[in-house]
Amino acid sequence: MKGSGYLRLWWVALWFLLIGGQRLYGEWQFIAGDFISGVCAIGNEVWTAESDGRVRHSTDAGQTWEVLQTPTYERLYGVFFVDSNEGWVVGQDGFIFHTTDGGQTWTQQFPTVAVWFNDVVFVSATEGWVIGQSGTILHTTDGGQTWTQQTSGTTRFLRDITALDATHLYIVGSSGTVLKTSDGGQTWVSLPSPTSSTLYGVGFEDTLKGWVVGSSGKIFRTEDGGQTWVQQTSGTTNSLYAIAVTGPDTAWVVGKDGTILHTTDGGNTWNVTTDITVNWFYNVTFSETGIGWIVGSGGAIYGSTDGGNTWEPKVLETCMGFRRVIFGDATHVWATGVDGTIMYSEDAGLTWVRQNVPYDGWFFGADFINGSTGWAAGYDGTIVHTTDGGQTWELQNSGTTTDLVDVSAVDENTAWIVGKDGLILHTTDGGQTWTQQTSGTAVDFKSVTFYNANLGIAVGQSGTLLRTEDGGQTWTAISVPTASDLYDVSFGDSSHVWVVGKDGTILYSEDAGLTWSLQTSGTTVDFYRVKFIDTAEGWATGGALGVALVAHTTDGGQTWELVDLPTIMAIWGVDFVDRHLGVLVGNGGVIFRYEAAPTYPTLTIAEIQGQSDASPYVGDTVTTTGIVTGVYSNGFFMEERPGGAWHGIWVYTSSAPTVSVGDSIVITAEVNEYYDMTELLNIVDLQVLASGLPLPGPTALNSGEVPQEMYEGVFVRVDSAICVAPDLGYGEWLIDDGSGPCRVDDKGVSYLPDSGEMYTVQGPVFYSYGEYKIEPRDSSDIIHIVAVAEQNSHPLYPFDLQIRTQSDGVIFMKYVIPNRSPVRLEIYNVLGQRIRVLSQGVKLPGTYTIIWDGTDVEGTHVGPGIYFCRLIAGERALSQRFWWIP
């Protein structure tokens, strides 16, 4: 529900500020419909002014459209652009909005008078006029920064304004009002009126010749500047809402029920276009290039590129108003309404087509039992039936001319229909015959719903509620705590039932409709429809003039939340497949679609892995977080802190990933087992939370520990292992540190190892073709450890290096050199980084001992782990691995 116009605008403006200019409407998406009152065209560009504050814009003669939102929900009536960028729209509650970027952004202008504005015209980028309620005429000479009220001499509603130039303008309005100015509005003169009826449109080809059009098909022509008028034969009694003068003696007129009239002889004859009859048309215009536009109800936009000889729909058009929407199944949905309208969607409400129906009156009720079979009912006892999804509809004999308002079907043969004067019809043969059931009342019914072939409830005027447990053989009147009209009923299950009605009434029963209590809805606006998905969640819709009412509950109606839908149209129809998918329809032929973002369980990577050979969540879509540890051509590895067994996983992307090593991410994707490799794929959403973060430290393993399920996807490191097989094929090779072999693969980098050489290798663990493999990310993940064999050059002093670790953690290093040589004794970590030089200089032949206390070159103690001592004496070198445990 909405408040007053200016209060609503203040909240909208605040919301715009808070969300950076984007409009948020929860999960509801505008699909089609609306009342389009204004249209303006410049060449191939066109703009429309619509209900709910929307403006549509096309730059390619209507081939494509962009829906733009002004800072209001209210109905817009007039639109005028002076070029491709600058324009104005006006509407209810005194709104004037101005744009300088083609409608992408709008700024409100504040006139001295705030009334209902109906039209706007500009003769330059600075000078323009706005007209509206109470005889209001506003004038600006600075592009709308300031507006000055001009004296109209009337308090009547002014409907349309046209300008020949900056001095000659004409206005028409209610009660036959015709105004003229020859001095730019300094003075407005009331011209003789040709009628006492409302005039909606005015058009002049010069200062003498022109037309006015109005209610009941009236068209008047003047050739003396409006001093005298001659009524012309329009050939219709439909109200005419707009006129566009396109040349000498040439004009187009549009109006109610799809009326399109055209003259080329000054109106002596008016030709009728008869191929468009489904909508009311509110405006018509032609650009200077001859492209024509007609707009109206149901979101109708028709365009012509041949001077009006042919008109083509440029958007999905609906109707003046819908009354019901029904899902046959999860994808097939129908909406019924005025003028014999039945719209159909086979993609759950995203796109719609009109179905051909042998009836042109109002359809009030409809029901489908699946994607093929259904009924619709309307005025004068009309029933139509389909068994092929609406490709064909057949009239069925109801046996009555009483207006029918609702349908409830339980299978292909069994259905009920209710109507005025207490009428209840029933069929058990698919509608070949309809029989009347005894309701015991003469009030007008509004709705009927059956839970199964036996249990049903019908509701109607003055608090009427009837219940049956035997398929309608007997109907029992049930007392309810209200005398308000009741409009609709919905079962949550066989026991829980809700009824909605006038003045915000909501009734609730938990004993299958035997007893009822009132629920607090929080509104006094009428509810027309209710739909419960289960016993907890339901939707109720309704409205009034200028008010859309949508209420939602998730606790069985104990509390109802009013939902701010982006429309002021009353909502007459609601249906949901489940809590995630629904459709609303209403006045103006509006269609809104609800699709809730699916909710997925949030799991840790360890939970996804499940600590078993296969994930327990295979086939499920889940959300998880972690840090990217390795990126490859068709996916990446991620790991959650602190890392280690079961905490890593492979993410398959099929193409180059968009993430980088060190990215902290949250990802939603499907869990899969690809030939026993647990992975994530079919990414639904991926967001990078932070970049450049330190990775979980590689898990240090012996080579024989690597081939285990628990390390699948985990970032690991194997220190000082010997290459025992340099080429296993397909870029794979084998290392072994004495605990057992493990494979190294070339998914991230190709490397040619030497057999018998020592390597430290790190990378995530991958599983394919029945083998676990370390996948180095680049060449820095493979460290070749060089070890030089012992060389004897002096019989008394063999070249040697020995390391002994004491229980107190002190490291004794003894080395022997056979001859005088420059000597350097160094400590390295497993990454090949030099930690400290322990001895350096020229040494004589002999034995030397050095003690290392575990500190680096800066005197800081290093962490526990594997280190290497390297002795270089002249051209000779020796290396030895040792453990440092503080």
Side-chain angles (χ1 to χ4, degrees), residues 734-854:
L734 205 63
I735 58 174
D736 192 336
D737 62 1
S739 64
C742 75
R743 293 189 176 225
V744 182
D745 195 16
D746 64 349
K747 193 173 187 65
V749 60
S750 296
Y751 189 87
L752 297 176
D754 293 324
S755 181
E757 290 292 298
M758 184 180 295
Y759 296 89
T760 290
V761 180
Q762 67 180 16
V765 176
F766 192 67
Y767 182 83
S768 63
Y769 298 101
E771 301 287 351
Y772 291 94
K773 309 160 188 180
I774 299 177
E775 299 286 359
R777 300 160 300 177
D778 53 43
S779 58
S780 67
D781 279 344
I782 305 172
I783 301 171
H784 184 194
I785 302 170
V786 177
V788 178
E790 174 185 317
Q791 299 183 37
N792 294 320
S793 58
H794 193 289
L796 297 177
Y797 301 104
F799 188 47
D800 192 18
L801 173 63
Q802 298 178 12
I803 299 175
R804 179 167 56 87
T805 302
Q806 289 193 161
S807 60
D808 58 2
V810 175
I811 304 296
F812 284 87
M813 300 175 179
K814 183 175 73 173
Y815 65 91
V816 181
I817 58 173
N819 50 28
R820 186 177 184 275
S821 303
V823 172
R824 188 166 70 249
L825 188 67
E826 305 168 324
I827 304 296
Y828 287 83
N829 63 19
V830 293
L831 299 179
Q833 298 167 328
R834 188 167 63 190
I835 299 299
R836 185 174 175 181
V837 176
L838 298 179
S839 178
Q840 184 169 334
V842 177
K843 303 290 184 182
L844 296 174
T847 300
Y848 299 87
T849 300
I850 298 283
I851 297 176
W852 183 51
D853 60 359

Side-chain angles (χ1 to χ4, degrees), residues 159-449:
R159 296 287 185 173
D160 190 30
I161 182 171
T162 186
L164 289 176
D165 51 43
T167 57
H168 297 87
L169 296 92
Y170 303 85
I171 295 173
V172 295
S174 62
S175 302
T177 300
V178 184
L179 304 178
K180 171 186 177 180
T181 182
S182 300
D183 55 13
Q186 296 182 48
T187 57
W188 286 91
V189 177
S190 180
L191 296 176
S193 176
T195 179
S196 60
S197 300
T198 297
L199 295 173
Y200 293 105
V202 57
F204 273 75
E205 58 187 78
D206 55 37
T207 57
L208 297 176
K209 296 180 179 180
W211 289 271
V212 293
V213 300
S215 60
S216 303
K218 292 183 175 64
I219 301 178
F220 299 94
R221 169 77 167 174
T222 183
E223 296 189 355
D224 57 9
Q227 296 304 310
T228 60
W229 298 90
V230 176
Q231 185 169 359
Q232 297 181 333
T233 302
S234 68
T236 181
T237 58
N238 290 332
S239 292
L240 305 175
Y241 296 121
I243 181 171
V245 177
T246 55
D249 297 327
T250 305
W252 291 83
V253 174
V254 298
K256 181 180 176 182
D257 291 337
T259 300
I260 303 176
L261 306 177
H262 178 222
T263 185
T264 57
D265 59 9
N268 292 321
T269 57
W270 287 92
N271 300 309
V272 180
T273 299
T274 60
D275 57 343
I276 306 173
T277 59
V278 296
N279 289 295
W280 289 22
F281 291 129
Y282 296 123
N283 218 318
V284 57
T285 191
F286 277 79
S287 69
E288 65 277 8
T289 58
I291 299 176
W293 298 95
I294 296 173
V295 298
S297 64
I301 303 178
Y302 282 79
S304 175
T305 57
D306 56 10
N309 290 321
T310 58
W311 294 91
E312 297 180 354
K314 295 298 183 180
V315 296
L316 169 65
E317 55 175 323
T318 55
C319 63
M320 280 289 291
F322 287 117
R323 288 299 177 265
R324 274 290 191 183
V325 61
I326 298 293
F327 277 93
D329 55 30
T331 58
H332 299 85
V333 56
W334 287 262
T336 61
V338 306
D339 299 326
T341 299
I342 298 182
M343 303 287 290
Y344 166 66
S345 172
E346 59 183 5
D347 56 11
L350 282 171
T351 60
W352 296 78
V353 296
R354 186 181 302 275
Q355 295 188 329
N356 294 320
V357 184
Y359 176 65
D360 60 3
W362 281 54
F363 282 119
F364 288 103
D367 199 16
F368 274 75
I369 62 166
N370 52 39
S372 300
T373 302
W375 288 266
Y379 276 152
D380 305 323
T382 302
I383 302 174
V384 295
H385 178 238
T386 182
T387 57
D388 57 12
Q391 296 182 50
T392 57
W393 289 87
E394 64 171 355
L395 284 166
Q396 293 186 337
N397 183 12
S398 67
T400 181
T401 58
T402 300
D403 293 343
L404 307 177
V405 297
D406 199 20
V407 183
S408 181
V410 296
D411 57 42
E412 293 182 352
N413 296 311
T414 310
W416 287 261
I417 294 177
V418 297
K420 295 182 65 176
D421 303 328
L423 178 66
I424 302 178
L425 300 178
H426 179 222
T427 183
T428 57
D429 56 12
Q432 296 181 48
T433 57
W434 288 89
T435 58
Q436 291 193 24
Q437 295 184 336
T438 302
S439 68
T441 181
V443 304
D444 294 347
F445 283 118
K446 302 297 183 182
S447 177
V448 61
T449 299

